[in-house]
Amino acid sequence: MQTVKTLQMLRTTLGQLRSAAGHGRARIALVPTMGALHEGHLTLVRRAREAADHVVASIFVNPRQFGPNEDLDAYPRQLAEDAAMLEAEGVAVLWAPTPEAMYPAGFATNISVAGVSDGLCGAARPGHFDGVATVVCKLFNQVQPDMAFFGEKDFQQLAVIRTMARDLDLTHPHVDAIIGVPTMREADGLAMSSRNRYLTPEQRTAAAVLPEALAMAAQTIAAGDQPIWLAKSVVEDELQLAGFRLDYIAVVDAETLAPIEELAGRPARILVAARIGTTRLIDNMAIVPRD
Ligand code: PAF
């Protein structure tokens, strides 16, 4: 695996990779990350390896997606450890730019995806999805991958990225496919996240209520056993009892993320964000109506 830190080096390395395929143009998959890797990220890498000739993983703690009250400096950084994990998974190139390489002096562009960015996590974290859209657009242009892999755990992020790529014509012939990979979960169902490391043992035990309550709500809504408003209020009560402070619970159209009051034959999703202690956890699940 080659670790590259400048754009010039990245272009040279990718040029070599693409031309060394021997059977036409090699297909390159991009797995963007902010490091602090766990099994969820490694699953993205494995899926990418199955689908492409070469995998490029990026590690960049993107300052533009952190709000003024979010501690950018405290975000875990463990480049050597992460690089070893990526190498063991067969990643060809690790793109690890410095903040100056990503945002040189005078950088003045912001990408803002209206609508999908606004509610849910966007309401609690103003500007967050602008930062995500801007850096992912840059990553797509830098790597020009044939496909890119993102976790469904950050469901709103995935919707923002898909909309941005569609609107800015970054899809075919550039990023042919933006692939959402189902959330990896711990044995008790808690979605894997680099934030789980901040939970105390008691909070970690209580946190299992989050996926449990969400799965129950998704099932009862899908079965038509409860109206959406009631299922959401049951989740709210269960989370409160387990010691969470709810940020939001929403049932939305899976594509537009517009809130819905009842299922209308289109894919729907239930999403939640809640704090336990000082840690904010998010999760979401598909609502699959029974035939
Ligand atoms: O999901 C993440 O790790 C980040 O938001 C991403 C997509 C790498 C952009 O910085």
Side-chain angles (χ1 to χ4, degrees):
M1 184 180 80
Q2 256 182 287
T3 300
V4 296
K5 298 197 169 185
T6 66
L7 194 50
Q8 197 186 9
M9 193 60 197
L10 178 71
R11 292 205 166 122
T12 311
T13 310
L14 290 176
Q16 286 162 355
L17 262 191
R18 284 206 164 94
S19 56
H23 55 276
R25 191 174 168 279
R27 285 173 69 74
I28 288 183
L30 172 65
V31 180
T33 81
M34 296 210 300
L37 302 181
H38 50 68
E39 269 301 303
H41 298 107
L42 301 183
T43 303
L44 300 185
V45 170
R46 288 173 200 140
R47 287 285 312 276
R49 275 207 69 197
E50 282 160 20
D53 298 303
H54 303 293
V55 178
V56 176
S58 63
I59 295 184
F60 179 64
V61 181
N62 176 29
R64 295 175 73 98
Q65 68 188 75
F66 286 76
N69 304 324
E70 296 172 349
D71 199 350
L72 169 66
D73 293 334
Y75 197 86
R77 288 163 173 86
Q78 44 175 61
L79 188 63
E81 208 179 304
D82 288 344
M85 287 191 240
L86 294 172
E87 181 150 39
E89 293 294 336
V91 167
V93 179
L94 168 56
W95 169 222
T98 58
E100 296 71 33
M102 188 60 93
Y103 299 121
F107 185 87
T109 301
N110 182 56
I111 297 178
S112 189
V113 186
V116 282
S117 298
D118 297 338
L120 307 171
C121 287
R125 306 181 70 189
H128 168 71
F129 289 116
D130 287 14
V132 170
T134 304
V135 81
V136 171
C137 182
K138 282 181 68 85
L139 288 167
F140 283 0
N141 284 327
Q142 291 162 348
V143 177
Q144 303 197 355
D146 298 277
M147 59 197 97
F149 289 75
F150 297 89
E152 282 186 348
K153 175 170 163 283
D154 294 298
F155 198 76
Q156 188 175 12
Q157 165 170 287
L158 185 57
V160 169
I161 291 167
R162 284 193 206 279
T163 309
M164 179 271 296
R166 182 201 68 198
D167 290 355
L168 298 183
D169 305 317
L170 300 181
T171 44
H172 192 77
H174 299 300
V175 192
D176 258 349
I178 292 173
I179 295 155
V181 177
T183 304
M184 285 294 289
R185 297 183 179 280
E186 305 289 355
D188 62 0
L190 183 67
M192 288 187 183
S193 164
S194 19
R195 291 184 179 194
N196 295 352
R197 68 181 70 189
Y198 300 126
L199 300 172
T200 63
E202 295 73 29
Q203 290 168 346
R204 174 62 193 80
T205 306
V209 170
L210 186 73
E212 209 175 281
L214 213 53
M216 186 55 78
Q219 265 174 42
T220 51
I221 294 170
D225 291 345
Q226 273 178 350
I228 288 175
W229 66 265
L230 182 57
K232 287 197 303 189
S233 109
V234 171
V235 174
E236 190 169 347
D237 290 348
E238 283 172 351
L239 290 181
Q240 217 163 25
L241 268 176
F244 278 95
R245 291 183 317 284
L246 188 70
D247 187 348
Y248 65 78
I249 172 143
V251 174
V252 301
D253 178 286
E255 198 180 313
T256 62
L257 304 194
I260 55 172
E261 302 297 330
E262 50 192 49
L263 298 183
R266 284 176 49 77
R269 203 94 189 171
I270 183 163
L271 298 95
V272 72
R275 283 172 205 276
I276 187 157
T278 53
T279 307
R280 185 174 182 273
L281 299 179
I282 58 171
D283 202 349
N284 68 85
M285 288 181 193
I287 298 175
V288 187
R290 288 213 201 118
D291 302 326

